[in-house]
Amino acid sequence: MDQIAPLKTFLLVAELRSFALAAKRLGLARSTVSAQIQSLEQELGVALLNRTTRRVSPTADGERFLDRARDILEQLAVLESDFRAQSQRAAGHLNIEMSESIANLLVIPRLSEFVSAHPDVSLRIFLSERTVDLVAEGIDLALCLSHLEDSPYRFRRYAQSHFVLVASPAYLARHGTPRHPDDLERHRAIGFFNDVTGRAWEWIMAKGGEERSISPPEGLTVDNTKAGLTCALAGLGIFQEAEFLVARPLAEGRLVRVLPDWKRAGPYIAALYRPQQPTPPHLRAFIEFLDRVFKPAQATRKRAG
């Protein structure tokens, strides 16, 4: 490979019939170009160029060498092109861990776009709401809700979630509509199970500079977002969930905001992946797919910021 640069230099000098023009084209000093040619001639043991004060031309040996050098460089260009194309082709296997709620609502409905565009990439998708150790579990990318504090991974942040309280119109018709957070103690709650404490997560709500923390009344607790949403739609109580996950039933009138002036900022929707340089093409392709999926959310976040 040490001879590639002198070969290219010789080819250019022979074609341009000038050391000065070749040096200008290559962005090198004329002395550097001359030294490269002399070194090549010494290696070969023959003179490749006739040099006069007015012109430069290949010798007979130089003409033969020129033809072979041109063939070698053309073959090398094809070889480099083939390997570059292969290194950029998205192919291989990806283990993807996704929050079940985000996957089913936002990603999987559009997954055919990725599969059609990258048929040589195989996917294994795991759905859960837990924190994942990417390295220990062999996960290439995790799409989850994360605060991203002290994350050891690279990440792509898409949008911040906000948690709101919702209930079905039928539930509110039977039990009344809360007007203040204190009223929640007299209502039925659909709690979300905290596997650390063994109890339901507290409902934290903020309005202006005021923040309230309410322990949902015991009664019904779930450990799955879809189950909680189904319970809320069935009129079983008030449920706190990320706003983007309840946007459709709210728009359709199947759910109603409770205490609409109260909500809390939650974690970000983020894609976490291990630091690799460069990012493998098939993983980069999946990240770019997620960029397209969450582009509306990113635009909203930029406008809000």
Side-chain angles (χ1 to χ4, degrees), residues 3 31 33 65 74 89 104-105 156 158 243 253-254:
Q3 297 298 329
S31 58
V33 171
F65 188 76
E74 287 177 355
R89 185 170 63 90
N104 286 324
L105 183 65
R156 187 72 62 95
Y158 294 113
E243 191 170 13
R254 293 185 294 144

Side-chain angles (χ1 to χ4, degrees), residues 265-285:
Y268 285 92
I269 301 174
L272 309 179
Y273 52 102
R274 289 171 282 172
Q276 302 177 66
Q277 293 294 343
T279 302
H282 58 321
L283 177 56
R284 185 171 63 249

Side-chain angles (χ1 to χ4, degrees), residues 180-188 212 214-215 217:
H180 189 272
D182 292 340
D183 298 338
L184 294 172
E185 296 179 0
R186 298 187 292 275
H187 279 265
R188 295 180 181 177
R212 298 295 297 272
I214 304 292
S215 295

